[in-house]
Amino acid sequence: MRFDRLVLQEQRHLKWRALDWLENLLMILCGIAISGFCLLVLGDIITRAIGRPWLWVQEATMTFFIYGIFSGVAAATRRNDHLYLAVLAESLSGNRRLFFEIFNRLVVLAVAFCMIYFGYLNFLDGFKSLRMPSMTPIATLYAAIPLCGALVALFIVEQVVNGWRNGFPDKPAEEQRIPL
Amino acid sequence: MTSNGTLIVLMGFLFLFLGYMGVPVAFALMASVIVVTMFTPVSQASMIAQLFNGMDVEALLAVPFFLLVGDLMTSANVTVRMIALSQTLVGHWRGGLAQVVTLFSMFFAGISGSSAADVAVLSRTLAPEMGREGYDKGFTAALIASAATMANLIPPSIMAVVYGATGNVSIGGLFLGGVVPGLVVGFGLMIYSHFFGPVGVKRMRATPAAIATATKAAAIPLMIPLIIMGGILTGKFTPTEAGVIAVAYIVLVVIPLLNFGHLKNLPRDMAMTGLLYSIPLITIGAASMFGWMLAYLRGPAMVSEWLSQLAGGDPFIIMLLLVGLFVIVGDFIDAIPAIIIFMPLIIDLTKNADINPVHMGVVIIVTLAFGLITPPYGLCLLMSAKFVGIKFSRAMLASLPIYLVFFGAIAFTIFFPEVVLWLPRKLLPQSVGCFANPNGSGYICP
């Protein structure tokens, strides 16, 4: 199986090919995260049943779970896969559409910067608390927030720059094959 | 200093404004909280930490497992066997394919906790066939969306997991409490299709041999509900563990036996589900930020006081008022953020009116399931209209008479708590507040 197939080819005109590897990597991380915590929870059940429970399993499971969520959020931003209340902009055209598309992305970008800055403060603060039983600082989990914020910001900048240049509406299939 | 009421209105307005402008729900929630936090002594860093705390809940681990179960079953195309079984059982009735849609949804609801997976399966498999048999497309979309809501009622239900995890209510109790309302909706849809739906093509009744063959073919996937509920009811597994056992059963037994060639696609399925689960969970984290700020501004306490005064402490009126509130809320925002945002209010009212928390949970879940087919944000109806290829307005018009089925189910759930709580009391008595009889065997239930 070729994992480069995990890059979504829709809205190709909003993506730089140079960042495809990153989307691919994030999708693989999503797969690893869910497989990882599936195996760990299964391992927990089995080891408990045979009377030799793994004490560290819950901690490891939560690590996979949290990193899986934040990897997925970053990937979903590039793939435009998030949950929406309404996609008002798609029914518009011309300058109006450009305004809505850019406005919406600027809001996400502002939130992403908050995730980076305030997430980083939490990360620093996280060195004061430890996770049991491994005694690892909780900062190892908090690190996922600024990392995710940075990736979301990167993908939003990619979409805004490409959308400004090429327009936001979906291109016909032929045009989508042109490398950007 | 800005008053709490003004800040609550500002936060709500910002969320809806940004959401309807087209900002993703999770980011619209976060943006509104971050703006409002600037007018309070609370630090932004602590709010971002709240995003993390909202997701760092062990019970929420069940969400990806139940999504994965539905996704693997759909992707491996195992569901066709359950459709075939439904067809042999009810395909000869009036409006045969409509009955098949509902019965299949009842089966599938016992396997997957996601309505979206149900809509996807039915739209791909049965909707084209219904089109060929002359069923109105509006009716098809409305029925598929309505039937898919049962995935949130019949266990395992992702809404029940989220409600239980955030409200500290027994998830097993909520699972069992959802069975009766789920069946009421299912049978209601069947009765509606029989009397008011299109006639469809008349089919011969399946022979007992054909039913036996179809049952045998579907037996392996139909073991999944038994594994999930059996594990939870015997106390061997938590809902999260039951979910992972079901995933292991599908990967190790169902797919190798029924669609061996699909095993090579498993890494892709895992990656896609990994992406899919992150979307509701980041929304849960953002909604918990929103809910925390709402509680900090004493929003739930104010509304709870007002509703209690209005209802005069009558639990039925309180539930009716909450249903009214959630019908409106469910029209505008997704069920999962709605549960988390309003959980402090629900907890307050449940306690004040002395309502059984499982009963209240089931009432709220049934109401929010109804929200999946009401405009403007009826997620299931939006999806089914898109898959069937009609305008949302047409699907909505066709779904209007079906609303009566849901009103009936909600009223039944509110006014017959004894029936709704019968299963949890029988099978999981502690989940509904029963305690072991100190003078003998059995349980004493309040």
Side-chain angles (χ1 to χ4, degrees):
Chain A
M1 143 147 213
R2 285 173 51 212
F3 271 109
D4 61 346
R5 286 191 193 143
L6 293 173
V7 175
L8 190 71
Q9 296 305 317
E10 275 171 35
Q11 296 195 315
R12 193 65 256 181
H13 63 294
L14 294 181
K15 292 177 173 183
W16 287 316
R17 287 211 183 270
L19 291 184
D20 278 1
W21 69 272
L22 197 51
E23 183 182 333
N24 221 8
L25 177 69
L26 288 169
M27 292 298 291
I28 294 170
L29 285 177
C30 287
I32 290 173
I34 197 165
S35 311
F37 69 75
C38 271
L39 290 173
L40 284 171
V41 176
L42 202 58
D44 186 31
I45 298 169
I46 295 168
T47 54
R48 231 179 33 213
I50 60 171
R52 300 175 73 98
W54 291 340
L55 297 176
W56 49 269
V57 88
Q58 197 181 344
E59 202 183 326
T61 306
M62 283 319 278
T63 308
F64 275 110
F65 182 63
I66 295 290
Y67 273 90
I69 295 172
F70 285 107
S71 311
V73 170
T77 304
R78 190 168 199 249
R79 300 161 69 93
N80 226 351
D81 263 344
H82 277 288
L83 194 60
Y84 292 92
L85 283 185
V87 194
L88 185 63
E90 277 183 15
S91 58
L92 304 171
S93 58
N95 283 342
R96 270 190 185 179
R97 169 138 192 191
L98 191 69
F99 168 78
F100 275 99
E101 295 275 13
I102 290 182
F103 173 82
N104 292 341
R105 284 175 174 83
L106 289 180
V107 172
V108 178
L109 190 63
V111 173
F113 281 127
C114 289
M115 285 170 76
I116 298 171
Y117 178 68
F118 298 114
Y120 178 68
L121 294 183
N122 276 308
F123 167 71
L124 294 179
D125 208 38
F127 284 101
K128 293 176 197 157
S129 323
L130 301 174
R131 300 173 67 199
M132 300 300 282
S134 71
M135 306 295 274
T136 320
I138 201 165
T140 51
L141 277 189
Y142 281 158
I145 303 175
L147 283 175
C148 171
L151 289 167
V152 168
L154 174 67
F155 294 142
I156 290 294
V157 169
E158 177 192 29
Q159 288 171 9
V160 170
V161 171
N162 286 313
W164 185 266
R165 277 190 200 154
N166 308 324
F168 283 95
D170 266 334
K171 303 274 171 175
E174 274 305 304
E175 274 182 72
Q176 285 191 13
R177 285 195 209 119
I178 301 166
L180 295 166
Chain B
M1 191 70 184
T2 322
S3 77
N4 285 359
T6 315
L7 290 178
I8 291 170
V9 172
L10 174 67
M11 195 162 72
F13 168 77
L14 273 176
F15 164 55
L16 289 176
F17 172 74
L18 295 174
Y20 279 94
M21 284 282 282
V23 175
V25 175
F27 289 92
L29 283 165
M30 285 191 255
S32 58
V33 175
I34 288 168
V35 169
V36 166
T37 307
M38 288 193 275
F39 299 97
T40 67
V42 180
S43 76
Q44 259 98 350
S46 67
M47 290 317 298
I48 293 290
Q50 193 57 43
L51 168 76
F52 176 86
N53 295 338
M55 293 180 290
D56 190 19
V57 178
E58 209 205 332
L60 291 179
L61 280 169
V63 173
F65 295 140
F66 293 135
L67 276 175
L68 189 57
V69 167
D71 211 48
L72 288 174
M73 293 288 288
T74 311
S75 158
N77 211 18
V78 177
T79 44
V80 286
R81 290 162 184 264
M82 288 149 64
I83 292 176
L85 173 62
S86 310
Q87 205 139 14
T88 59
L89 292 174
V90 295
H92 59 282
W93 289 6
R94 187 182 184 276
L97 284 182
Q99 308 291 1
V100 172
V101 164
T102 310
L103 187 63
F104 166 77
S105 293
M106 287 158 104
F107 286 147
F108 195 65
I111 290 174
S112 160
S114 152
S115 298
D118 197 356
V119 173
V121 174
L122 288 169
S123 307
R124 257 187 264 157
T125 49
L126 281 172
E129 207 175 325
M130 288 174 87
R132 280 192 290 277
E133 287 195 9
Y135 284 81
D136 174 60
K137 280 190 171 182
F139 172 82
T140 303
L143 184 72
I144 287 176
S146 309
T149 61
M150 282 188 285
N152 291 297
L153 307 175
I154 295 175
S157 145
I158 288 174
M159 265 194 215
V161 171
V162 174
Y163 189 97
T166 51
N168 205 13
V169 180
S170 160
I171 296 173
L174 290 170
F175 276 0
L176 289 171
V179 172
V180 171
L183 294 178
V184 170
V185 170
F187 291 128
L189 289 175
M190 284 178 136
I191 293 167
Y192 172 78
S193 303
H194 184 83
F195 289 107
F196 307 106
V199 181
V201 171
K202 182 81 185 149
R203 284 188 178 77
M204 295 285 287
R205 179 191 289 268
T207 60
I211 294 175
T213 309
T215 309
K216 198 176 158 198
I220 294 175
L222 285 177
M223 287 293 288
I224 296 169
L226 296 180
I227 292 172
I228 294 173
M229 287 317 292
I232 295 172
L233 293 178
T234 53
K236 290 211 183 312
F237 312 131
T238 62
T240 305
E241 291 166 349
V244 85
I245 294 285
V247 170
Y249 176 74
I250 294 173
V251 173
L252 301 174
V253 179
V254 178
I255 296 178
L257 285 180
L258 304 182
N259 190 357
F260 189 81
H262 188 77
L263 282 175
K264 65 177 188 298
N265 295 328
L266 273 185
R268 188 187 183 87
D269 284 350
M270 286 296 192
M272 294 312 293
T273 313
L275 174 79
L276 272 185
Y277 91 80
S278 68
I279 298 166
L281 281 161
I282 190 71
T283 313
I284 288 174
S288 82
M289 271 172 88
F290 195 98
W292 190 94
M293 182 48 77
L294 206 61
Y296 174 80
L297 297 170
R298 291 190 39 81
M302 283 192 276
V303 179
S304 159
E305 225 166 83
W306 181 68
L307 285 181
S308 298
Q309 273 175 5
L310 207 67
D314 184 328
F316 290 122
I317 298 182
I318 284 186
M319 277 195 267
L320 282 173
L321 288 171
L322 267 184
V323 164
L325 175 73
F326 275 91
V327 166
I328 298 167
V329 167
D331 287 346
F332 294 97
I333 56 176
D334 196 45
I336 287 176
I339 289 173
I340 297 163
I341 291 168
F342 289 94
M343 188 49 81
L345 169 70
I346 300 170
I347 292 174
D348 227 29
L349 286 171
T350 308
K351 217 165 137 188
N352 291 349
D354 199 21
I355 301 169
N356 188 301
V358 171
H359 182 211
M360 178 65 109
V362 176
V363 170
I364 300 292
I365 291 169
V366 179
T367 310
L368 286 170
F370 172 51
L372 293 171
I373 59 162
T374 53
Y377 188 67
L379 190 62
C380 282
L381 200 62
L382 280 166
M383 282 178 68
S384 66
K386 190 175 166 189
F387 286 139
V388 172
I390 54 165
K391 279 191 174 173
F392 179 69
S393 53
R394 192 172 151 198
M396 193 200 77
L397 277 178
S399 68
L400 286 178
I402 297 179
Y403 287 1
L404 287 176
V405 172
F406 283 86
F407 291 147
I410 293 170
F412 180 88
T413 312
I414 292 176
F415 294 109
F416 295 95
E418 294 305 317
V419 184
V420 172
L421 297 179
W422 176 75
L423 257 182
R425 276 189 182 142
K426 281 279 166 210
L427 301 174
L428 216 56
Q430 297 96 324
S431 71
V432 281
C434 302
F435 50 90
N437 186 351
N439 302 324
S441 61
Y443 285 85
I444 298 173
C445 294

Short mmCIF file of all heavy atoms in Angstrom, two decimals, chain B residues 1 7 53 62 84 100 106 109 114 132 216 223 227 258 301 316 362 383 429:
data_model
loop_
_atom_site.label_atom_id
_atom_site.label_comp_id
_atom_site.label_asym_id
_atom_site.label_seq_id
_atom_site.Cartn_x
_atom_site.Cartn_y
_atom_site.Cartn_z
N MET B 1 -16.82 47.30 34.87
CA MET B 1 -16.73 45.82 34.69
C MET B 1 -17.99 45.33 33.95
O MET B 1 -19.11 45.69 34.30
CB MET B 1 -16.62 45.17 36.09
CG MET B 1 -16.25 43.71 36.06
SD MET B 1 -14.55 43.48 35.55
CE MET B 1 -14.47 41.71 35.49
N LEU B 7 -21.53 39.17 29.11
CA LEU B 7 -20.44 38.33 28.60
C LEU B 7 -20.96 37.00 28.04
O LEU B 7 -20.47 36.51 27.03
CB LEU B 7 -19.41 38.06 29.72
CG LEU B 7 -18.57 39.27 30.14
CD1 LEU B 7 -17.63 38.91 31.27
CD2 LEU B 7 -17.78 39.82 28.95
N ASN B 53 -7.77 19.56 29.30
CA ASN B 53 -8.46 18.80 30.37
C ASN B 53 -9.78 18.20 29.88
O ASN B 53 -10.18 17.14 30.33
CB ASN B 53 -8.74 19.71 31.57
CG ASN B 53 -7.46 20.18 32.22
OD1 ASN B 53 -6.42 19.55 32.06
ND2 ASN B 53 -7.51 21.30 32.92
N ALA B 62 -13.52 5.60 24.54
CA ALA B 62 -14.49 4.72 23.86
C ALA B 62 -14.93 5.32 22.53
O ALA B 62 -15.31 4.58 21.63
CB ALA B 62 -15.70 4.51 24.77
N ALA B 84 -29.19 -7.83 3.77
CA ALA B 84 -29.86 -9.00 3.19
C ALA B 84 -30.77 -9.67 4.21
O ALA B 84 -31.91 -10.06 3.89
CB ALA B 84 -28.81 -9.99 2.68
N VAL B 100 -36.89 -2.09 5.38
CA VAL B 100 -35.53 -2.64 5.43
C VAL B 100 -34.56 -1.58 5.99
O VAL B 100 -33.71 -1.89 6.83
CB VAL B 100 -35.08 -3.12 4.03
CG1 VAL B 100 -33.61 -3.51 4.03
CG2 VAL B 100 -35.93 -4.29 3.56
N MET B 106 -31.64 -0.48 12.96
CA MET B 106 -31.71 -1.00 14.33
C MET B 106 -30.58 -1.98 14.57
O MET B 106 -29.93 -1.96 15.62
CB MET B 106 -33.08 -1.66 14.58
CG MET B 106 -34.20 -0.65 14.73
SD MET B 106 -35.80 -1.37 14.39
CE MET B 106 -36.46 -1.54 16.01
N ALA B 109 -27.27 0.04 14.57
CA ALA B 109 -27.14 0.86 15.77
C ALA B 109 -26.53 0.05 16.92
O ALA B 109 -25.86 0.59 17.79
CB ALA B 109 -28.50 1.41 16.19
N SER B 114 -22.24 5.60 15.70
CA SER B 114 -22.22 6.82 14.90
C SER B 114 -23.33 6.85 13.86
O SER B 114 -23.44 5.95 13.03
CB SER B 114 -20.85 6.92 14.22
OG SER B 114 -20.93 7.62 13.03
N ARG B 132 -34.81 3.33 -7.81
CA ARG B 132 -35.25 2.49 -8.94
C ARG B 132 -36.66 1.97 -8.72
O ARG B 132 -37.41 1.75 -9.66
CB ARG B 132 -34.28 1.30 -9.11
CG ARG B 132 -33.00 1.68 -9.87
CD ARG B 132 -32.22 0.45 -10.26
NE ARG B 132 -31.61 -0.21 -9.12
CZ ARG B 132 -30.44 0.15 -8.57
NH1 ARG B 132 -29.77 1.16 -9.07
NH2 ARG B 132 -29.95 -0.49 -7.53
N LYS B 216 -27.71 -16.90 9.07
CA LYS B 216 -26.39 -17.54 9.22
C LYS B 216 -25.30 -16.63 8.65
O LYS B 216 -24.24 -16.45 9.25
CB LYS B 216 -26.40 -18.88 8.48
CG LYS B 216 -25.30 -19.82 8.91
CD LYS B 216 -25.43 -21.16 8.20
CE LYS B 216 -24.10 -21.84 8.20
NZ LYS B 216 -24.04 -22.91 7.21
N MET B 223 -22.86 -10.71 16.17
CA MET B 223 -22.32 -11.06 17.50
C MET B 223 -21.78 -9.82 18.21
O MET B 223 -21.62 -9.81 19.44
CB MET B 223 -21.15 -12.05 17.35
CG MET B 223 -21.55 -13.46 16.97
SD MET B 223 -22.45 -14.23 18.29
CE MET B 223 -21.12 -14.48 19.47
N ILE B 227 -21.21 -8.94 22.19
CA ILE B 227 -19.89 -8.79 22.81
C ILE B 227 -19.84 -7.49 23.61
O ILE B 227 -19.40 -7.48 24.76
CB ILE B 227 -18.78 -8.79 21.72
CG1 ILE B 227 -18.69 -10.17 21.07
CG2 ILE B 227 -17.43 -8.38 22.29
CD1 ILE B 227 -17.78 -10.23 19.87
N LEU B 258 -15.05 -12.96 6.42
CA LEU B 258 -16.06 -12.49 5.46
C LEU B 258 -15.51 -11.68 4.29
O LEU B 258 -16.15 -11.56 3.26
CB LEU B 258 -17.14 -11.68 6.18
CG LEU B 258 -17.86 -12.39 7.34
CD1 LEU B 258 -18.94 -11.51 7.93
CD2 LEU B 258 -18.48 -13.71 6.89
N ALA B 301 -26.26 28.43 36.50
CA ALA B 301 -26.96 28.67 37.77
C ALA B 301 -28.14 29.63 37.55
O ALA B 301 -29.24 29.40 38.07
CB ALA B 301 -25.99 29.25 38.80
N PHE B 316 -41.41 16.74 35.75
CA PHE B 316 -41.87 16.56 34.37
C PHE B 316 -41.82 17.89 33.60
O PHE B 316 -41.42 17.95 32.45
CB PHE B 316 -43.29 15.99 34.33
CG PHE B 316 -43.32 14.55 34.77
CD1 PHE B 316 -44.11 14.16 35.84
CD2 PHE B 316 -42.56 13.59 34.13
CE1 PHE B 316 -44.13 12.84 36.26
CE2 PHE B 316 -42.57 12.26 34.54
CZ PHE B 316 -43.35 11.89 35.61
N VAL B 362 -31.16 10.09 29.26
CA VAL B 362 -31.84 9.48 28.11
C VAL B 362 -32.77 10.50 27.44
O VAL B 362 -32.81 10.60 26.21
CB VAL B 362 -32.61 8.21 28.55
CG1 VAL B 362 -33.39 7.62 27.39
CG2 VAL B 362 -31.65 7.17 29.09
N MET B 383 -26.54 15.27 5.55
CA MET B 383 -25.73 14.23 4.88
C MET B 383 -26.58 13.40 3.92
O MET B 383 -26.18 13.14 2.79
CB MET B 383 -25.12 13.29 5.92
CG MET B 383 -23.91 13.87 6.62
SD MET B 383 -23.31 12.70 7.85
CE MET B 383 -22.71 11.39 6.83
N PRO B 429 -28.41 -2.60 38.12
CA PRO B 429 -29.17 -1.81 39.10
C PRO B 429 -28.39 -0.63 39.71
O PRO B 429 -28.96 0.43 39.95
CB PRO B 429 -29.56 -2.82 40.17
CG PRO B 429 -29.09 -4.13 39.72
CD PRO B 429 -28.33 -4.02 38.47
#
